[in-house]
Amino acid sequence: MALNMRVIAGLLVMVMTAGLAKADDRWVLRQGDFSSRDVSLIQITADSVRVIENQIEARLPIAQVVSLSRGAAKLEPAGNWCLWLIGGDRLPGEPVSWQDEKLHWKSPSLGEIVLPVRRVRGMLPIKAEVADELPTHPEDLALLANGDRAAGVITRLDSAFITLQVAGGPVEIPLASVRSIEFATLGDASGASEATFQIRTTDGGQLGVSKLSLNSTSVSFMVPDGPQKIVETRSVLSIEQLRGPVRWLSSLKPIENTTVPWFNTPFHARMNHNTSGGAILFGDRTFSHGIGVHSKSRLTWGIPDGMTSFRTQYAIDGDRPLADVTVRILAGARVLYEAATVRAGKLSEPIRLDLTGEKTLTLEVDYGDGMDVQDHLNWIEPAFIRNAD
């Protein structure tokens, strides 16, 4: 009997160890206090995240979690096309069909995704850069490789052809002859606001989803206006909570966005990019969230309900020895923070400011001693922070 108990105990240990091994996919957990640590991710449910840290299992309230990212995973771009959605989400892949005001899209990492056409803004080559705002059009517009363009109403879009209904009848164009497609601006695209998480995939995709859950092998979620999807966990590069303890300013639309150049060429603010459209960097670090600006810049946001403080860092973008700016942070008309003679080569310390009772927040970058020469600055991870209570 004692031997049998030892055997049973041994089997239980083996089963528990096997379960932990399945969960032993290293993730970086980031919390609302901006701390980060390496964990093994076991499970995400509606109200908690289960992890293993230093061989000890812990359960964290979902309200404390900002994001989880797979440190060991590599970005592996795939497909020939990238579908850009209203709000900035993107899906590499190719079109499958266009039916009943919905685009069926095949993503290498997520499989087939069905999206209302009112949520799509453009279809560009996978390596093409996209501006923060594509032009609006009353009709669908196909830009061809030979420089021609065709405008009308899409009636067919798949991996081989696009068909546009124009005044003279339908026009069928091989997709191989198309440089890009800009979709008509149609009605309300607020379905994207239903998303509570944003997932990034290993093929370079980014998509807002809701009702997300995860175990060691699969991730389940719902696309706004779409059915439930289940994909392999290994296809997901990161998971970020959109309504958690932090709201990134780069994901919120400012109520004021102005740039006044000293000379004639303005560099407009770019969300999650520097002013040239590249990544936001400092030293060997890359930041997913930030705002690239150029003097003289002024950005103002309404403060969302429940957000009681603000946190940011900033730095001159790259090696620009002539850059010299003054940085200000205001609540309403009141200056909360100001720093003059900001030069290249230094990342500011984290700045945290109380916003209790305030209605608006403004970020300013003003001219320094060198007019606006080389005055490119990145606001790094500017965020509203929710009251911990």
Side-chain angles (χ1 to χ4, degrees):
M1 182 68 175
L3 178 61
N4 288 342
M5 290 299 294
R6 284 197 297 271
V7 171
I8 291 170
L11 289 172
L12 286 173
V13 170
M14 290 174 65
V15 169
M16 291 174 65
T17 304
L20 295 181
K22 288 181 180 179
D24 194 19
D25 189 1
R26 305 301 295 175
W27 294 69
V28 177
L29 168 68
R30 194 168 198 188
Q31 294 184 255
D33 60 0
F34 283 74
S35 64
S36 298
R37 59 186 195 268
D38 292 339
V39 298
S40 294
L41 180 58
I42 303 173
Q43 186 183 43
I44 299 177
T45 66
D47 57 7
S48 67
V49 175
R50 288 176 59 207
V51 300
I52 296 172
E53 184 179 10
N54 298 325
Q55 300 182 335
I56 299 174
E57 183 176 324
R59 187 186 298 268
L60 302 173
I62 193 74
Q64 296 180 5
V65 175
V66 174
S67 64
L68 288 144
S69 57
R70 290 172 56 207
K74 293 183 179 180
L75 188 65
E76 300 174 353
N80 296 319
W81 294 95
C82 188
L83 182 69
W84 289 82
L85 309 183
I86 301 294
D89 283 352
R90 59 188 181 271
L91 288 171
E94 62 180 18
V96 176
S97 65
W98 183 279
Q99 304 172 24
D100 302 324
E101 296 298 308
K102 292 184 178 180
L103 172 61
H104 295 245
W105 184 265
K106 185 178 181 181
S107 158
S109 58
L110 302 180
E112 186 168 314
I113 299 287
V114 181
L115 297 160
V117 297
R118 61 183 170 81
R119 287 197 57 203
V120 298
R121 62 189 283 227
M123 190 178 109
L124 286 78
I126 189 69
K127 294 183 179 180
E129 292 187 6
V130 65
D132 291 327
E133 294 292 339
L134 284 174
T136 58
H137 302 286
E139 296 181 296
D140 301 309
L141 178 66
L143 304 176
L144 308 185
N146 64 3
D148 291 343
R149 57 177 57 200
V153 177
I154 294 176
T155 59
R156 173 187 176 183
L157 179 59
D158 55 37
S159 60
F161 291 95
I162 176 174
T163 300
L164 287 161
Q165 184 69 36
V166 300
V171 175
E172 186 176 78
I173 305 169
L175 202 59
S177 302
V178 174
R179 188 175 79 237
S180 65
I181 299 171
E182 296 175 11
F183 299 101
T185 306
L186 300 173
D188 179 23
S190 59
S193 65
E194 300 170 7
T196 52
F197 293 88
Q198 185 180 78
I199 60 173
R200 297 175 188 265
T201 55
T202 52
D203 59 10
Q206 171 183 304
L207 185 64
V209 302
S210 61
K211 298 183 179 178
L212 180 141
S213 62
L214 174 146
N215 59 39
S216 59
T217 60
S218 64
V219 182
S220 172
F221 56 84
M222 294 189 70
V223 179
D225 300 309
Q228 182 185 31
K229 290 285 296 182
I230 299 176
V231 301
E232 293 182 333
T233 300
R234 65 183 181 182
S235 298
V236 177
L237 192 65
S238 69
I239 299 169
E240 183 171 309
Q241 193 170 196
L242 298 179
R243 302 182 187 177
V246 164
R247 296 288 299 274
W248 305 110
L249 269 66
S250 55
S251 68
L252 301 172
K253 187 172 182 178
I255 58 178
E256 179 184 2
N257 182 352
T258 59
T259 302
V260 181
W262 188 282
F263 297 107
N264 296 323
T265 305
F267 291 86
H268 297 293
R270 299 290 299 269
M271 303 300 171
N272 299 325
H273 298 281
N274 63 17
T275 52
S276 301
I280 292 180
L281 308 170
F282 188 85
D284 60 356
R285 297 177 64 187
T286 301
F287 298 90
S288 299
H289 302 282
I291 307 171
V293 299
H294 187 278
S295 65
K296 181 178 181 179
S297 165
R298 181 180 171 93
L299 293 158
T300 301
W301 290 263
I303 299 172
D305 291 343
M307 299 294 168
T308 57
S309 61
F310 170 72
R311 182 192 187 276
T312 193
Q313 292 179 269
Y314 59 82
I316 295 295
D317 181 51
D319 180 19
R320 301 179 190 270
L322 301 181
D324 185 327
V325 302
T326 295
V327 168
R328 294 188 197 92
I329 304 173
L330 303 91
R334 185 165 62 95
V335 176
L336 302 181
Y337 174 91
E338 183 171 20
T341 319
V342 175
R343 307 295 297 270
K346 182 179 180 181
L347 175 64
S348 77
E349 293 297 321
I351 300 157
R352 183 152 180 170
L353 302 169
D354 181 32
L355 297 178
T356 303
E358 304 292 351
K359 301 298 183 184
T360 63
L361 179 87
T362 297
L363 303 181
E364 284 188 355
V365 176
D366 207 344
Y367 310 125
D369 288 339
M371 299 177 288
D372 69 352
V373 177
Q374 296 189 347
D375 283 356
H376 299 260
L377 180 134
N378 293 325
W379 293 102
I380 294 175
E381 297 189 328
F384 292 120
I385 301 174
R386 191 180 301 279
N387 190 332
D389 296 332

